[in-house]
Amino acid sequence: MALAASHTALSEASIDESSRADIAICVGTGLGELGNTYAFLENMIALDEEQPKPAAFVNSVHNAIGGQLAIQLGCTGENHTFLNGPCSFESALWQGVHLIEVGRADKVLVCGVDELNGYMIGANRGLRIYRDNDEALDPFGTTAYRVRGTLPGEGSAALVLGRLDQADGSHCPRISTSYIESFPSSEAAVDPLFDIEHIANVLAGEGLDLSEVDFVLCNADGDSTRDENYENVLQLWEHKAGRSLSTGFFKHVTGDFHASSAVG
């Protein structure tokens, strides 16, 4: 998935094989190649650790994805992999911007990817993170408030970052990433005012106000224990901005996985 997405990104950026040598790679993945990790460990247990498979171990480490991208695409610049839970892709994106800002790279391939496998489905259903049925995700829908858990997903997305003075006229002038953990618990709900203050501070750092935002791409995933908090934050945002917000979703298409924000 990562290789296919990266090929597409490089093609859309008009970068052919002859001009890939100095491109850096930044990969964000919450769980990496977890299927290979479990398979490697199961093999060691079954054989009483007497015949571990070296190739299986190499394919089980998290940065195997970044290494394979470099080999297959011929990118010999810096190679970074970020394993930072739900903000793994955002961490890779920040590092890509940083490499360009400090002059360590002129172009950076940034990729977010997570796979789906039976081990993960079994564990997360046991923890009630994934629901037991396959009902369609409906963030903020009329049935969402009665549903516990989200649906498993997988996917990959990639983009190429470059210097503004080399842009072809179609570009995003700034990328700023910021992250806070505010998971609800059974004892207390998330305070939307805390989230709004954080969002307002991030926007202020970019010279923007809450009222200047035209569109919000929301991370809601159809889980009633989390989506209510997103909705509360958006309602407070509209109140403070004095205007309605246009809101979009993406997990009803992709399912939920750590690097799904890359697809969004």
Side-chain angles (χ1 to χ4, degrees):
M1 290 188 295
L3 188 59
S6 298
H7 265 299
T8 301
L10 291 171
S11 176
E12 291 180 351
S14 301
I15 300 175
D16 57 27
E17 294 182 12
S18 63
S19 54
R20 296 177 182 174
D22 296 327
I23 293 178
I25 293 177
C26 293
V27 175
T29 177
L31 297 172
E33 300 184 79
L34 193 61
N36 280 324
T37 303
Y38 276 112
F40 173 70
L41 294 174
E42 279 195 337
N43 178 72
M44 289 188 66
I45 294 170
L47 300 178
D48 199 24
E49 300 187 7
E50 292 184 353
Q51 298 177 1
K53 296 181 179 180
F57 171 74
V58 171
N59 289 328
S60 73
V61 296
H62 286 71
N63 61 354
I65 304 167
Q68 283 298 314
L69 289 178
I71 294 171
Q72 296 292 332
L73 300 173
C75 301
T76 58
E78 293 188 34
N79 197 297
H80 301 266
T81 297
F82 290 84
L83 323 165
N84 203 9
C87 62
S88 296
F89 170 71
E90 287 84 343
S91 300
L93 184 61
W94 179 88
Q95 176 69 359
V97 174
H98 174 71
L99 291 178
I100 294 174
E101 287 181 338
V102 300
R104 284 159 55 184
D106 287 330
K107 290 185 176 64
V108 182
L109 175 67
V110 182
C111 178
V113 60
D114 271 308
E115 70 173 13
L116 186 62
N117 56 71
Y119 303 103
M120 188 191 311
I121 292 176
N124 283 319
R125 282 189 169 160
L127 294 170
R128 297 187 69 190
I129 296 172
Y130 293 157
R131 61 184 66 169
D132 293 326
N133 55 51
D134 293 326
E135 294 180 16
L137 293 183
D138 184 21
F140 294 2
T142 56
T143 62
Y145 298 105
R146 298 192 298 270
V147 178
R148 172 72 184 271
T150 185
L151 288 181
E154 67 177 357
S156 180
L159 70 156
V160 177
L161 303 179
R163 299 184 59 82
L164 284 177
D165 54 18
Q166 298 175 355
D168 59 3
S170 172
H171 62 270
C172 175
R174 288 294 300 273
I175 294 176
S176 178
T177 63
S178 183
Y179 180 72
I180 53 173
E181 286 196 4
S182 55
F183 297 111
S185 68
S186 57
E187 291 80 18
V190 172
D191 182 1
L193 183 60
F194 174 76
D195 287 338
I196 282 296
E197 289 176 350
H198 177 78
I199 293 170
N201 289 335
V202 173
L203 291 173
E206 299 298 317
L208 296 171
D209 184 78
L210 287 171
S211 61
E212 295 180 83
V213 174
D214 297 312
F215 179 77
V216 176
L217 189 60
C218 185
N219 206 43
D221 63 4
D223 187 323
S224 61
T225 60
R226 291 191 288 267
D227 284 1
E228 184 177 1
N229 293 289
Y230 286 112
E231 189 164 33
N232 290 338
V233 169
L234 292 171
Q235 288 177 351
L236 184 57
W237 188 336
E238 290 184 333
H239 174 73
K240 286 185 170 292
R243 55 172 290 193
S244 60
L245 279 172
S246 295
T247 307
F249 311 98
F250 56 92
K251 287 188 176 178
H252 64 292
V253 177
T254 67
D256 198 9
F257 52 100
H258 280 316
S260 56
S261 55
V263 176

